[in-house]
Amino acid sequence: LGVIFTLSGSFSKALNELKTKGLRAYFSLKRMVDTKSLTVASHFRLFDSLIVPILTYSCQVWLFESENLKMVANNALLTDPRTSITKISSDPFENIHLKFLKWTLGLSSKQLMQSVGETLAANAIK
């Protein structure tokens, strides 16, 4: 691991590199684990132990460039839960998380997005 710094102060190269490494770890996990042999909770523990540390490496430095953080700070994710899932899934790290959920739970993309959208709508602050 490591963080790529640029003269402009942008962390976009570092974030792309972390995304690539996170995807590599996800596909390695997917190749090695049989979904039927482990519980869903075990899958989540593996994701949290093996992939999340890669995706969040040095987040103290680059987190403030995150579009999702900016949307949360402005309450933009809470205004319309149906479009929130589209905004969230556009984040490269959340996209890896959604791929993992789809694989672990055996859901199609449409089923997963519907489920996440319903969860967001049910938990929206009124």
Side-chain angles (χ1 to χ4, degrees), residues 32-78:
M32 289 188 272
V33 173
D34 178 20
T35 55
K36 293 168 184 49
S37 65
L38 294 174
T39 65
V40 172
S42 297
H43 278 95
F44 289 157
R45 266 188 243 116
L46 285 171
F47 184 83
D48 289 344
S49 301
L50 301 173
I51 298 170
V52 169
I54 294 169
L55 295 177
T56 58
Y57 185 78
S58 70
C59 67
Q60 301 89 341
V61 176
W62 57 257
L63 183 65
F64 295 105
E65 284 196 17
S66 168
E67 290 301 317
N68 280 346
L69 181 66
K70 291 174 188 173
M71 287 187 285
V72 168
N74 296 325
N75 289 329
L77 290 177
L78 302 175

Side-chain angles (χ1 to χ4, degrees), residues 1 14-22 54-55 57 62 93:
L1 292 175
L15 295 177
N16 284 334
E17 187 67 25
L18 289 173
K19 180 187 102 174
T20 301
K21 290 176 181 181
I54 294 169
L55 295 177
Y57 185 78
W62 57 257
F93 300 145

Side-chain angles (χ1 to χ4, degrees), residues 97-116:
H97 191 221
L98 290 172
K99 285 177 192 270
F100 172 78
L101 289 173
K102 193 170 96 171
W103 169 64
T104 301
L105 302 174
L107 298 174
S108 69
S109 294
K110 185 176 180 178
Q111 290 170 318
L112 180 63
M113 293 303 182
Q114 181 179 358
S115 175
V116 172

